[in-house]
Amino acid sequence: MYLATTGRRDAPPTPSGVRRRVPGTVLALGAVSLVTDISSEMVTAVLPLYLVLGLGLSPLQFGLLDGLSTGATALVRLLGGATADRGGRHKQVGGIGYALSACSRPVLLLAGGATGWIATALAADRLGKGVRTAPRDALITLHSPPEDLGRAFGTHRAMDTTGALLGPLAAFALLWATADAYDAVFAVSFCVGAFGVLLWVLLVPGRTEADGKSPTDPPPRARGGSRAGFRADSRAGSLARFRAGPLAGLRSPAYRRIVLCAGLLGAATVGDSFLYLLLQRRLAFDATWFPFLPLGAAAVYLLLAVPAGRLADRTGRRGPFLYGHGALLLAYGLLLAPLPDTAVLVGVLLLLGVFYAATDGVLMALAGPFLTEGRHAGGLAVVQTAQALARVGAAVAFGAVWTVSGPGTALVAAMTALTAALCCAARLLPTTPSDNGGPEPSESLAPDPSERTD
């Protein structure tokens, strides 16, 4: 059972002034992400509490664990993106990622207090996320008009964030009903994750005419052709596919700048878990309320994701992306400001939600127009990988500075790094091609004529 793929890139343009419907594929992907995020956020909401306050891990140990589990996604993002692009296997590769994340929950259930098994479960969950993210975002790009990419990603992220709201609520309800039985949270999370995989199988379309065949595939063997000629064609096609891999897009100066800026800003981005731990430390509230902290940021993200995407489509995606990181910088500053605790709590959660609404989907929408047919998943995977690797270093560095010199020094260092990264990104980030009527020839990612195999 497939939803309609209204709004595909090859569909006829909508007349000016007529409001377009959100493509059915985007809604299907949003439904899957909503359910999957309920599953993942049930675990994410209680994990810092479980590891730091329950098992007694230090901030440095938590930073290493969080950084290593995030870093596990780096290479698989590239592998997942390249595999999905080859033959238009976006549904198959994405489904493997969702299934891997769901299967990580029983490992947490059986791990007990064994840190090694917990790290394995977290790595498996992040691996699944790394595998599925690029194919999923490529499907959004392939089934949405280029001029509406910000709105499409905003709609998907809003549905995804609805799951992020419901997940911590479900986790808190289970902990309250079972007297802090974390095993119950992990078990229910697995069941919900398995349901998300089922929705992916039933609702998300597979190959389309637009992405079903790679432009670098070798021509079919003609009847009566020689076997040697067929092997030569196959070798030529394999070489062309290698040259057209996910890193091929780096030949474009504009795309290179996007990848570089994603890495620079990611290296100065402190993970949410650290910010929530800092809030809990400053406000000294009961640990029972810890799972509710992500709800404030998620609620703001939910409200602003679609408006931020539409604003990015109208005014250009570069500005909202930079302003979103400016909001994160203000959140760091609030944690150091001599303000009432209530103002700090509300301000940090509000600014964190603004940060995600203005950057998460907007970054994908910014990079999408610089990618050619057949390279969407791989190209987006490179951007995501640069960001993920940078955030690994940020998590480990922040945890180390916190352990050695205290949270205040760590926050000052993070603010300094983010300020420098924002200044660099403001100079380097290109404008979206669609904002100027299409990419300039020098910025196009069209295949080099020398790579033709016919």
Side-chain angles (χ1 to χ4, degrees):
M1 178 176 63
Y2 290 163
L3 291 182
T5 56
T6 307
R8 280 176 46 185
R9 294 170 66 89
D10 55 349
T14 303
S16 178
V18 177
R19 187 179 182 124
R20 301 176 181 87
R21 297 176 58 188
V22 176
T25 299
V26 175
L27 297 178
L29 293 167
V32 174
S33 293
L34 188 156
V35 173
T36 302
D37 230 40
I38 292 176
S39 170
S40 62
E41 291 301 324
M42 287 179 67
V43 175
T44 302
V46 302
L47 205 58
L49 186 68
Y50 179 57
L51 296 178
V52 176
L53 301 182
L55 300 183
L57 269 65
S58 70
L60 175 58
Q61 290 173 314
F62 178 74
L64 285 169
L65 189 61
D66 184 66
L68 289 174
S69 60
T70 301
T73 69
L75 294 179
V76 296
R77 287 177 189 266
L78 295 175
L79 179 62
T83 304
D85 281 338
R86 182 171 297 182
R89 299 187 183 97
H90 301 100
K91 179 173 182 176
Q92 292 89 331
V93 175
I96 292 173
Y98 280 103
L100 184 59
S101 291
C103 291
S104 70
R105 309 291 187 251
V107 179
L108 277 174
L109 186 62
L110 300 174
T115 306
W117 282 106
I118 293 173
T120 301
L122 290 179
D125 178 59
R126 299 295 175 87
L127 283 171
K129 184 174 182 180
V131 168
R132 71 178 184 253
T133 301
R136 181 202 65 200
D137 287 349
L139 284 171
I140 296 175
T141 303
L142 287 167
H143 291 271
S144 304
E147 65 273 15
D148 283 343
L149 276 178
R151 179 167 170 253
F153 276 103
T155 300
H156 173 269
R157 294 325 195 240
M159 298 179 71
D160 182 87
T161 307
T162 302
L165 276 169
L166 297 177
L169 286 175
F172 178 81
L174 281 169
L175 289 178
W176 177 79
T178 60
D180 295 337
Y182 290 95
D183 289 352
V185 175
F186 300 149
V188 174
S189 173
F190 166 69
C191 295
V192 177
F195 180 60
V197 175
L198 179 63
L199 289 180
W200 176 273
V201 173
L202 294 178
L203 298 182
V204 177
R207 288 191 182 189
T208 67
E209 295 178 2
D211 63 5
K213 179 174 173 57
S214 170
T216 57
D217 284 342
R221 180 185 179 187
R223 187 179 299 274
S226 68
R227 187 177 302 274
F230 175 70
R231 287 197 298 268
D233 285 343
S234 298
R235 286 194 298 271
S238 299
L239 180 60
R241 281 192 294 268
F242 174 78
R243 290 176 175 173
L247 298 179
L250 294 175
R251 289 194 300 267
S252 164
Y255 178 73
R256 283 201 304 269
R257 292 199 295 269
I258 293 174
V259 174
L260 176 60
C261 291
L264 285 174
L265 292 168
T269 301
V270 176
D272 298 356
S273 298
F274 275 121
L275 295 183
Y276 298 145
L277 286 171
L278 286 167
L279 281 173
Q280 196 275 337
R281 180 189 180 95
R282 172 165 176 164
L283 276 62
F285 55 77
D286 190 277
T288 306
W289 299 98
F290 189 87
F292 280 101
L293 286 178
L295 297 183
V300 176
Y301 186 9
L302 175 62
L303 292 174
L304 297 182
V306 175
R310 296 182 66 182
L311 177 66
D313 288 337
R314 292 179 180 178
T315 64
R317 293 152 192 164
R318 181 178 179 276
F321 183 69
L322 293 173
Y323 292 138
H325 282 88
L328 181 63
L329 182 62
L330 291 177
Y332 294 171
L334 273 182
L335 286 167
L336 294 171
L339 296 174
D341 289 346
T342 303
V344 172
L345 174 64
V346 174
V348 169
L349 296 181
L350 175 64
L351 290 169
L352 193 58
V354 171
F355 162 67
Y356 279 113
T359 60
D360 189 12
V362 172
L363 176 59
M364 297 296 99
L366 176 64
F370 292 99
L371 303 172
T372 56
E373 294 294 338
R375 297 181 186 172
H376 292 95
L380 295 178
V382 171
V383 178
Q384 294 161 358
T385 298
Q387 190 177 61
L389 285 175
R391 288 182 176 179
V392 171
V396 175
F398 189 85
V401 176
W402 182 349
T403 301
V404 174
S405 303
T409 303
L411 274 173
V412 171
M415 290 182 66
T416 303
L418 184 54
T419 301
L422 268 172
C423 292
C424 292
R427 295 181 60 87
L428 293 174
L429 271 180
T431 56
T432 307
S434 59
D435 296 337
N436 300 323
E440 297 179 4
S442 61
E443 305 290 349
S444 175
L445 298 186
D448 192 316
S450 62
E451 296 179 0
R452 293 179 60 89
T453 61
D454 50 16

